[in-house]
Structure formats: C-alpha cells, structure tokens
Amino acid sequence: MADVLHHHVGGRRVPGDAAPMGDVTNPATGEVIARVPFGSASLVAEAIRSAAEAQPAWAAVTSQNRARVMYRFKALVEEHIDELAERVSREHGKTLSDARGSVTRGIEVVEFACGISQMLKGEFSADVGTGVDSHAARHPLGVVAGITPFNFPAMVPMWMFPMAIACGNTFVLKPSEKVPSCALRLVELLEEAGAHPGVLNVVNGDKVAVDTLLADPAVQAVSFVGSTPIAEYVYRTGTANGKRVQALGGAKNHMVVMPDADLEQATDALMGAAFGSAGERCMAVSVAVTVGNPVGDALIERLRPRVESLRIGPYTDPDADMGPLITRQHYEKVRGYIDLGVEEGAELVVDGRGFSLQGYENGNFIGGSIFDRVTRDMRIYKEEIFGPVLSVVRADDYEEALGLVNDHELGNGAAIFTRDGDAARDFSTRARIGMVGVNVPIPVPVAYHSFGGWKRSLFGDHHMHGPEGVRFYTRLKTVTERWPSGIRQGAEYVMPVLQ
C-alpha cells in the first residue's frame, strides 16, 4: 500500500482534512508510491496563521542568530544529501548524480543566507544636516509564500525559503504535488537546526491552495517558478491582491554556435544542456542556432550518433545519462510536439518516439530527438516543449542569429560559443536575455548573484536569490533623526531643507 504523506504546519505533521488526494508516482515504473492530501482553503489558512503567529518572535531573533540556524541547516542538508537526492530521483525520475547536483545548488543559496547579517546591515550618514543623522535598514515583510515546480523538488524551494527566513520572514511553501516528500523533509531539517515552529510551513495542494495563498491578506509576497501562463496568472492575481510577486516562467533558451567555435566543446555542451534531466529544466538549451550551413552540417554530424547512443534508464542505473519524463501526461505532450514538428516540415534527424526500455514498459521513457532546419514560424520553435527535443535553426550570419534570440517572447537564458572576444562581448551586451553564457551552455548564476529572465520569462521586478533575493524579501526603512541640543529653531511651514 502506498504511503500517505502529510502537511507540516506549526511545527507538526498535519493530516489532510476532507480535501481530495493525489497520487505520487515513480516515473520509471508508473507505480503509485505515495498519496498526498490536497490542502483545503481552511488548511492553507491555518498554515498562514501559524506563520503569522511565529513571525514577530522570529523577526526579533538577531540576524546573527538566524544565520546560525542557517549554518546548522546547511550542515544537516549536507549530512542528508544522499537521502534528499534519492527522494528527488524517486519522484521526479532524474538520475541520482543530477539530483545530487541540484541539491548542491540549493545548498549554495543556504550558504549565501548564512551571511545575511552583511546584507541587512544598512547604511548610515552622519550630519546630513546640522545635528541631524540618517540611516537606512531593511526590514522583513512578514509572512511570505513560495510555489515551486516539479523539476527541482529540493533546489528551487532552497532558492526561496532560506533567503526569506534569514531576512526575518516566516514562510508557507506549496511544493508541486507530484514531488512532495523533499519539501517535507527539508522543513524537518530546518526545525532540527533551530528554526521556531511555524517559521516554515509546508502545504500540499492544487489550485485551491495556490489561490488561497494569493488571496490571503496576511501573505505579503509570493515567489513562483513554473510555466509562463501560470506565472502570469500568479503575478496578476497576487499583485491585484496587493502582494509583491516574483513569478519565473518558461524558457526557450538558444545556443548560438559561431563558425569559429570549438565544435567538440559545443557538442558536449549541447548534449548536457539539451538532454540532461530529460530536458525538464527551465535553463535547458532547446534551440541550437548555427551560423552558416557548414557549421550546421558539422554539428548535426557530431550530435546524431551521440543522441542515438544516449543511455536512458531509471535512476537506479548508475550509468544512465537520462531518466524518464515526470508523468504519462507529459510524455504524451512531448511526443505530440515531435509529431507536430514532422507535420510542420522540420527534418527529424533523430526520433526518440520509438524508445522502449525492457522491464520498464509502464515508465515514461522517451528517447532524445533532434530536429534540423527548424524555422521561427514553427510551433516547435516558438513553444516550450520541456523535454529532450533539440531544434537546430540555421542562420546565415551573426545578426540573424542574434535576432532570433532577441525576437523570441521568452528571455530566460542564451549562450554563444565562439573564440572571438568581439562577438562574445557584443552578444553579452545586445542579447535581450536575463542570463547569458559565453562558452557556458547553462548560465545559472552562483548563489551570490541573482537568477532570473527577461520578457515573458519573468513577471515582477526582482530576480531570485543573491542580492535581489534580499531586496525582494525585505522593505527599506529610512530614519532621519535629530537629538535635542538646547537650540530651538521654531516651527517651519515650508518644505524642510537640511543645512
């Protein structure tokens, strides 16, 4: 019998109320491995109340002592990294090495949160006027919430709640109902590290839970990562209810391959960036733009045998390069896009639809696919597929390649592979993209920089983690003060000017 999971509210496990249940499946076998209760509006409201009750006392803890909790939390996550990676792989399907790497990228943000006192120390100016000083400091917002996707069950939550909590907020996390167990383990580790009960609450659920978080007036800010349509919905609904929102949406990341590029390096980069995690990454490279037909021919020649020989298997196979897709529904969606690409006239160089893994016939396995001679009017170019499908677009020159990057409605990441410093600098400057890589295929910033796209890949003004994360989870207060010195100046009825 499948395990029944729970919510975590106010420092304790809370069973589901009368709300419906969802199945958590192993993507490699199709087996139901757990059942998760979907939180009702009243249960989510209880989690928000728990966070609101815990917040004043948590904000009163010094930033240094909050940082010490983060140090202990970091040590506990590192101690349990193999357990967390196994939870990620069992529910998502990605390889264990990939899952472990994703947990490590989450730990990096916790490391940044350990230095929160430096980020919150504010500014001070003496004598801005005669006998007048001014200082500014950042204060927590109160209760904040995070809504996270299925593809990074540990990393994305750790990009949100450690930053928010270190700043003095309390947090309500709604993970994807497809991958709930990692979030539930993280809250246990955070409380073991010394966080007060109610500082981090985890509620599972669907749209009911999301809408409750977006509507409740006690929630001051919402962080979201997911598809562009839902990101826009979260942003518009949350801001209409007076909340600060950062909503990260989808991507169609381009990698421009110049004629002078090291093609072996570019091929290696594309293999990992397009097919790692079965393409279920918002930073996956799904479009390779080759500048000149000779480059396109040479790249296809190198890619074809390597994609055909990808080792695809369950996460228990230590030699697997790629695992299954998350659900059967998503498998059918990705397969449908391959069908569509053929209908649209793209050249299907490698067809992953026929892949089958003996003993895992009920799993969501699909092979890697490559389309060549894709054009900008095709849906397989315009829309995010979120699977192991690479489109090759051939550009006549650099300006056409840059135009493809800039004209696409999504602007998460882009890369250029070249030996030419002028081309690299021009691309970095002119690409209308939030994150740019130069000979780096997946330019995810380190934790002390900030992550986020442009255009319809990000709704809101703040990127995630790093300095932008601190700004998002705090508000600025400026104090101007004068202490009595025995000198009275009398009432002033004009705009005060400090001298």
Side-chain angles (χ1 to χ4, degrees), residues 464-499:
M464 191 167 285
H465 65 64
E468 281 280 279
V470 175
R471 285 188 279 270
F472 179 75
Y473 289 122
T474 58
R475 54 169 60 98
L476 187 67
K477 179 185 287 184
T478 304
V479 177
T480 304
E481 59 186 10
R482 170 190 286 142
W483 291 97
S485 61
I487 301 173
R488 291 185 61 91
Q489 296 177 324
E492 295 178 354
Y493 298 98
V494 299
M495 183 69 184
V497 178
L498 298 177
Q499 296 180 352

Side-chain angles (χ1 to χ4, degrees), residues 77 103 115 135 142 155 188 195 243 305 313 338 464 471:
V77 174
V103 178
H135 67 266
M155 185 184 80
E188 293 173 348
K243 304 185 191 312
I338 301 172
M464 191 167 285
R471 285 188 279 270

Side-chain angles (χ1 to χ4, degrees), residues 116-455:
I116 200 63
S117 297
Q118 169 71 15
M119 299 298 297
L120 297 178
K121 67 182 183 181
E123 300 173 326
F124 178 84
S125 296
D127 297 319
V128 296
T130 303
V132 179
D133 302 327
S134 185
H135 67 266
R138 304 204 72 88
H139 291 254
L141 301 177
V143 177
V144 298
I147 303 163
T148 56
F150 70 78
N151 57 333
F152 288 104
M155 185 184 80
V156 173
M158 285 197 287
W159 281 10
M160 294 180 183
F161 73 78
M163 295 295 305
I165 289 170
C167 288
N169 303 284
T170 52
F171 204 93
V172 180
L173 172 63
K174 195 214 84 68
S176 167
E177 66 279 8
K178 298 180 180 68
V179 289
S181 70
C182 232
L184 293 166
R185 188 68 180 112
L186 289 172
V187 66
E188 293 173 348
L189 294 177
L190 185 70
E191 290 178 354
E192 184 179 343
H196 301 173
V199 165
L200 176 60
N201 305 272
V202 177
V203 291
N204 299 298
D206 52 11
K207 190 175 185 293
V208 171
V210 170
D211 286 345
T212 304
L213 292 170
L214 295 176
D216 196 300
V219 177
Q220 300 297 302
V222 176
S223 298
F224 171 85
V225 175
S227 68
T228 287
I230 306 302
E232 185 171 18
Y233 171 80
V234 168
Y235 178 76
R236 294 190 183 280
T237 306
T239 53
N241 283 294
K243 304 185 191 312
R244 185 181 291 184
V245 180
Q246 57 176 190
L248 282 68
K252 198 72 177 181
N253 304 315
H254 295 60
M255 187 175 116
V256 175
V257 184
M258 296 292 288
D260 67 337
D262 181 329
L263 286 183
E264 297 302 326
Q265 182 189 44
T267 302
D268 287 342
L270 278 170
M271 289 301 300
F275 303 105
S277 199
E280 292 175 327
R281 293 173 176 155
C282 69
M283 289 299 288
V285 171
S286 53
V287 180
V289 182
T290 60
V291 178
N293 276 323
V295 178
D297 292 342
L299 190 66
I300 289 291
E301 182 181 351
R302 287 166 171 79
L303 283 170
R304 178 191 286 112
R306 294 189 60 175
V307 175
E308 289 173 338
S309 62
L310 274 171
R311 185 176 180 115
I312 303 168
Y315 77 90
T316 51
D317 179 356
D319 297 322
D321 300 315
M322 188 177 93
L325 297 172
I326 182 72
T327 62
R328 178 55 52 167
Q329 180 183 16
H330 190 57
Y331 167 90
E332 295 296 346
K333 176 186 173 184
V334 172
R335 187 183 176 96
Y337 270 112
I338 301 172
D339 295 340
L340 177 63
V342 174
E343 293 171 15
E344 291 183 311
E347 180 184 333
L348 185 56
V349 176
V350 181
D351 185 354
R353 292 173 295 182
F355 180 82
S356 179
L357 187 62
Q358 186 176 0
Y360 292 89
E361 288 80 7
N362 293 326
N364 309 318
F365 290 98
I366 193 167
S369 295
I370 305 175
F371 280 107
D372 193 10
R373 303 187 187 280
V374 175
T375 58
R376 66 166 70 206
D377 59 314
M378 295 179 180
R379 281 180 57 197
I380 61 166
Y381 172 76
K382 293 188 286 187
E383 299 174 12
E384 183 179 38
I385 298 174
F386 219 62
V389 181
L390 177 66
S391 294
V392 177
V393 180
R394 300 190 180 219
D396 291 334
D397 54 35
Y398 168 75
E399 288 296 331
E400 182 184 353
L402 179 63
L404 287 164
V405 173
N406 286 343
D407 292 345
H408 202 284
E409 68 170 3
L410 301 175
N412 215 36
I416 185 169
F417 273 63
T418 181
R419 291 186 174 94
D420 186 333
D422 288 341
R425 189 173 189 276
D426 184 81
F427 186 83
S428 299
T429 301
R430 294 172 60 201
R432 294 197 290 270
I433 293 293
M435 294 168 283
V436 174
V438 176
N439 298 317
V440 174
I442 304 180
V444 177
V446 293
Y448 45 88
H449 288 268
S450 298
F451 177 101
W454 287 11
K455 298 182 281 190

Side-chain angles (χ1 to χ4, degrees), residues 4-9 12-22 35-49 202-206 208-209 212:
V4 176
L5 301 178
H6 54 273
H7 312 280
H8 193 104
V9 176
R12 61 188 178 88
R13 294 185 177 189
V14 176
D17 43 20
M21 302 277 285
R35 303 208 72 214
V36 59
F38 288 178
S40 65
S42 61
L43 189 142
V44 177
E46 179 186 345
I48 295 168
R49 283 195 302 271
V202 177
V203 291
N204 299 298
D206 52 11
V208 171
T212 304

